[in-house]
Amino acid sequence: MSRHLPIVAVTPFPAAAAHELKDAQLRANLGRATRTIRDKRARVVAEVPDWEELRERAARTKDEVLDRLPELLAAFEAAAVGAGAVVHHAADAAAANAIVADLVRQQGAERVVKIKSMATQEIGLNEALADAGITAIETDLAELIVQLADDTPSHILVPAIHYNRAQIREIFAERMPGFTAESDEPAVLAGAAREYLRRTFLSAQVAVCGANFAVAETGSLVIVESEGNGRMCLTLPGTLIAVVGVEKLLPRMADLGDFLRLLPRSSTGERMNPYTSIFTGVTPGDGPQRLHVVLLDNGRTKTAQDPVGRAALRCIRCSACLNVCPVYERTGGHAYGSVYPGPIGAILSPQLTGQDAGANRSLPYASTLCGACYDVCPVKINIPEILVHLRQTGPKPAAERAVMSTLSWVMRDRRRWRAALRAARTGAAPLRAVTRRHGGTLRRAPWPMTAWTAHRDAPLPAPESFRDWWRRTHAE
Amino acid sequence: MRIALFVTCLNDALFPQAGIATVAVLERLGHTVAFPPEQTCCGQLHANTGYARPARELERHTEAAFAGHDVIVSPSGSCAAHLRAHTALPVYELSELLVDVLGVTDVGARFPHRVTYHPTCHGLRMLRLGDRPQRLLRAVSGLELIDLPEPEQCCGFGGTFALKNAGVSGAMLADKCANAAATGAEYLAAADNSCLAHIGGGLARRPGAPRPIHYAEILAGTGARA
Ligand code: SF4
């Protein structure tokens, strides 16, 4: 099966973005939604006096996990197995999908219910299960909307952020069995989804989940959610399969508190999330009687070896960085061509896949390096620094390479620089008369500045450079 | 005090007024300005576009050019931030020098115009300039400072981002220009001529929109502008 991984962009970001930018409705939906979430986040974060210390400590905890990865994985496995779970290791997406499909088949099930999980999105589990004749049903409301629409998620936390409620009503009317409502009131739409999902939960034998955290000390998995659908999935079906990225580990149960304070405020702007489920192994007569944990690598061990890039693995998928990103706000998630969009996607997808995969090399350039993401990240990932690092280590066009090294050569010597300034000034002189009409700026420039003047006027070299002015006025 | 000026390559070539204004303000306050002539570029453009080696060479070149200077000022937030992150040079952005080192907010300027201020991303989030530039502007005689809506939103410049992702950059620019125009100000000031070249290029296409100006030029002002 050679379907491309859902973290490999097919179209380079600039082209994908150009397509999304044409959609005025999308931009309006995104602008409204991200502004609401980021204002809410800012309010509740401001309430926490020790927010900066929390961030520091959480970053350190996650770095400890990366430093001790093999050891903590072994500890987690031992504890989980001791509590009755079965632990599997998957080196990549194909291996993980095969393990899950086999486990579902062993139960003789044709359907599974799913809790929203980025790890299963990343490996394209639903599609792989479909190939194996198994139907996966998403039970998170937004994820369900996206699934019914036959679309892909456009946000980590709010996968249907690109739709407004009128569009959601249409999707339900067309695709949800038994949906008849005329209204697009949120309560009506949520009610319809609830009824549909209840029927599904009660008949499911197998549930598939991810995990927000995996505690090495106790072998416990932690799932944080808002709707209660997760609680249903975790308790009703007899078999539960968790697909967990290896970086989701926490060394100790005592570390969890910091993260449970950081995550909801950063992601939904709530002081606390409505449902937090912590479960360890199997308890006879209570909840699922078969618990499988699939520990997923898929590029993580390799990423953990890059001294700069590894910080991306601290990510707890809160999506605060998406909500403040001016690029994300204009393009939406689809432009990133990965289930990980926005700033975190721009550093995570190319690292997990390698920069040569598809068009992923274009992602580190999908940022102005404005730094808004770094400011809000609850685990202090210096996203701009990693973006620059990936640009520096990734492939680059030969023509650009030549221009850059010539430029640097010219600039490393003041005589060469002065000559270049003079040449630029002479070259621009004829243009000066043309541009005088609109304040001395250039409306249409020749290549390579055509992309610049497509959106804005270009400045011209000054009639007298600063250094010439200095010489004229300050030289002894 | 003897203060070395790092004018930046962009200002040297395209916007010498920002450097000239910086010199004027400091000299008016009684300081001596030096211009080490070997200086060219800090390497920011190379580093951020992905060229680590040429960037490092330019950083070393700049370090050598400024060897022996104890106080360096630059009228560019992003270049000051880059040098601070990648060299050991004691570099201050102009407002840091004036407010923190020299302890002045009133530089004795006059600029009888309506002005709005865009806090550029490097100034805001890397240097944490806070409201230093606005404090300096508020002390300017005759100046009316008008709040810019959504000030912390990036203008969409981002160095080569403006070329590589021209579409997104243009969309961000359009929003910044609309916010600037909504202020009714005559001038949009900022601490970085790279962002101003981009925003100004957008404003130039909107009749009646504010004109771009480096805030150093306002601080050097002595009266009304044409
Ligand atoms: S990178 Fe930071 S802000 Fe972005 S999703 Fe991950 S944890 Fe949240």
Side-chain angles (χ1 to χ4, degrees):
Chain A
M1 190 58 252
S2 69
R3 185 184 282 118
H4 78 92
L5 219 55
I7 51 172
V8 176
V10 178
T11 312
F13 185 83
H19 177 75
E20 302 294 330
L21 282 169
K22 283 190 225 129
D23 189 342
Q25 178 70 60
L26 170 78
R27 255 159 90 189
N29 293 354
L30 280 170
R32 196 174 322 110
T34 54
R35 204 162 297 144
T36 309
I37 304 187
R38 65 173 179 253
D39 290 350
K40 225 171 137 194
R41 177 211 159 266
R43 267 199 307 279
V44 298
V45 163
E47 295 170 354
V48 184
D50 58 342
W51 186 257
E52 286 310 311
E53 288 136 66
L54 270 176
R55 289 175 79 207
E56 281 287 343
R57 208 159 53 223
R60 273 202 305 276
T61 304
K62 277 296 183 182
D63 284 348
E64 182 192 344
V65 168
L66 299 178
D67 286 336
R68 302 172 55 202
L69 198 52
E71 173 201 342
L72 290 173
L73 274 175
F76 174 85
E77 176 164 4
V81 169
V86 181
V87 173
H88 310 257
H89 295 267
D92 56 21
N97 287 332
I99 293 169
V100 177
D102 273 348
L103 291 170
V104 177
R105 258 195 234 103
Q106 278 165 31
Q107 296 304 316
E110 282 164 9
R111 292 194 320 177
V112 300
V113 285
K114 280 190 70 202
I115 306 180
K116 181 173 159 34
S117 132
M118 292 313 298
T120 60
Q121 298 271 7
E122 171 188 325
I123 59 176
L125 178 66
N126 292 5
E127 295 73 19
L129 288 178
D131 290 344
I134 301 159
T135 308
I137 300 167
E138 295 290 350
T139 66
D140 171 88
L141 178 54
E143 207 70 71
L144 175 69
I145 294 165
V146 169
Q147 190 178 38
L148 289 174
D150 227 340
D151 197 358
T152 51
S154 65
H155 188 278
I156 291 177
L157 191 83
V158 198
I161 196 166
H162 53 297
Y163 293 124
N164 64 23
R165 60 195 218 210
Q167 293 169 311
I168 292 170
R169 201 207 72 87
E170 262 169 51
I171 294 167
F172 279 11
E174 239 172 74
R175 304 287 180 89
M176 185 187 283
F179 182 87
T180 53
E182 290 294 330
S183 158
D184 63 6
E185 281 304 309
V188 173
L189 297 175
R194 186 178 293 123
E195 297 229 331
Y196 167 74
L197 288 172
R198 277 284 148 87
R199 292 194 297 271
T200 316
F201 285 131
L202 290 171
S203 58
Q205 302 162 294
V206 180
V208 175
C209 65
N212 293 94
F213 307 100
V215 183
E217 177 186 34
T218 57
S220 311
L221 296 177
V222 183
I223 288 185
V224 170
E225 46 134 358
S226 295
E227 296 171 11
N229 62 304
R231 189 61 62 81
M232 296 278 217
C233 291
L234 296 176
T235 49
L236 291 175
T239 301
L240 178 60
I241 306 169
V243 181
V244 183
V246 293
E247 87 287 11
K248 294 285 130 190
L249 283 171
L250 295 180
R252 300 152 293 263
M253 192 56 99
D255 298 320
L256 184 59
D258 288 344
F259 291 89
L260 292 182
R261 293 181 68 199
L262 287 165
L263 182 53
R265 286 180 199 258
S266 299
S267 57
T268 48
E270 294 168 302
R271 295 185 178 89
M272 198 184 167
N273 52 291
Y275 294 87
T276 302
S277 304
I278 306 180
F279 50 104
T280 312
V282 168
T283 306
D286 182 15
Q289 296 302 294
R290 287 160 299 277
L291 172 63
H292 293 271
V293 184
V294 183
L295 294 171
L296 175 72
D297 192 296
N298 209 31
R300 286 163 172 76
T301 303
K302 195 185 81 238
T303 303
Q305 276 148 16
D306 181 323
V308 179
R310 69 191 301 217
L313 295 176
R314 289 182 197 153
C315 176
I316 57 174
R317 313 279 189 264
C318 73
S319 62
C321 57
L322 278 58
N323 300 332
V324 297
C325 177
V327 176
Y328 177 88
E329 187 184 329
R330 303 311 187 292
T331 65
H334 290 154
Y336 295 80
S338 164
V339 301
Y340 299 119
I344 181 60
I347 58 170
L348 191 60
S349 310
Q351 290 201 89
L352 292 179
T353 62
Q355 292 205 59
D356 283 329
N360 277 8
R361 72 178 67 177
S362 68
L363 294 175
Y365 295 90
S367 165
T368 62
L369 308 177
C370 83
C373 48
Y374 182 28
D375 266 11
V376 297
C377 177
V379 283
K380 283 191 91 159
I381 303 174
N382 190 337
I383 296 176
E385 182 186 40
I386 301 179
L387 287 166
V388 168
H389 171 68
L390 294 176
R391 293 176 186 185
Q392 294 183 349
T393 50
K396 282 176 281 293
E400 184 185 274
R401 201 179 278 280
V403 169
M404 284 293 174
S405 61
T406 309
L407 192 58
S408 140
W409 178 79
V410 168
M411 286 172 152
R412 281 199 313 279
D413 180 276
R414 77 157 133 159
R415 267 157 235 98
R416 292 197 290 260
W417 171 241
R418 197 142 182 270
L421 287 181
R422 215 171 295 131
R425 200 158 57 229
T426 314
L431 294 168
R432 213 169 295 285
V434 188
T435 58
R436 196 150 297 142
R437 248 177 306 136
H438 31 83
T441 49
L442 194 57
R443 197 125 301 176
R444 199 165 306 148
W447 188 91
M449 289 301 283
T450 4
W452 179 273
T453 48
H455 296 274
R456 49 191 107 55
D457 284 10
L460 286 176
E464 183 181 38
S465 71
F466 177 84
R467 65 186 59 227
D468 286 348
W469 173 84
W470 180 267
R471 246 211 231 193
R472 187 162 60 75
T473 57
H474 285 70
E476 292 84 69
Chain B
M1 190 181 282
R2 189 178 156 80
I3 299 156
L5 171 68
F6 176 56
V7 75
T8 80
C9 59
L10 189 81
N11 286 328
D12 195 1
L14 302 178
F15 306 103
Q17 315 88 287
I20 296 170
T22 304
V23 174
V25 172
L26 295 175
E27 288 181 348
R28 192 168 63 206
L29 293 170
H31 301 284
T32 309
V33 180
F35 180 74
E38 293 297 336
Q39 63 175 291
T40 54
C41 168
C42 65
Q44 186 196 180
L45 174 78
H46 285 84
N48 288 351
T49 312
Y51 295 87
R53 204 169 51 91
R56 251 192 315 274
E57 287 166 354
L58 288 167
E59 288 153 12
R60 294 296 85 85
H61 177 83
T62 308
E63 266 184 333
F66 282 89
H69 289 279
D70 306 322
V71 179
I72 303 164
V73 68
S74 183
S76 161
S78 60
C79 303
H82 184 79
L83 286 177
R84 201 176 290 171
H86 297 279
T87 70
L89 292 173
V91 188
Y92 301 89
E93 189 280 327
L94 178 62
S95 70
E96 295 175 309
L97 178 80
L98 291 170
V99 176
D100 302 349
V101 182
L102 304 177
V104 285
T105 44
D106 185 348
V107 297
R110 177 163 171 75
F111 194 80
H113 295 285
R114 293 188 310 280
V115 174
T116 191
Y117 183 80
H118 166 60
T120 56
C121 299
H122 283 78
L124 199 63
R125 285 179 278 261
M126 283 186 75
L127 294 175
R128 307 273 172 203
L129 293 183
D131 67 347
R132 287 177 186 82
Q134 289 96 323
R135 272 152 64 197
L136 290 161
L137 289 174
R138 273 196 207 97
V140 171
S141 135
L143 185 148
E144 186 194 343
L145 190 62
I146 306 171
D147 285 342
L148 179 69
E150 306 198 300
E152 75 295 338
Q153 278 266 332
C154 176
C155 68
F157 170 60
T160 45
F161 177 84
L163 300 173
K164 289 182 193 255
N165 280 287
V168 189
S169 175
M172 290 163 71
L173 174 62
D175 292 347
K176 186 55 78 182
C177 288
N179 280 329
T183 62
E186 298 159 72
Y187 290 95
L188 175 120
D192 223 308
N193 267 328
S194 51
C195 310
L196 276 174
H198 161 82
I199 304 174
L203 292 174
R205 296 182 182 187
R206 291 179 74 114
R211 277 180 283 165
I213 189 170
H214 193 288
Y215 82 116
E217 294 174 60
I218 295 178
L219 300 182
T222 54
R225 287 208 155 202

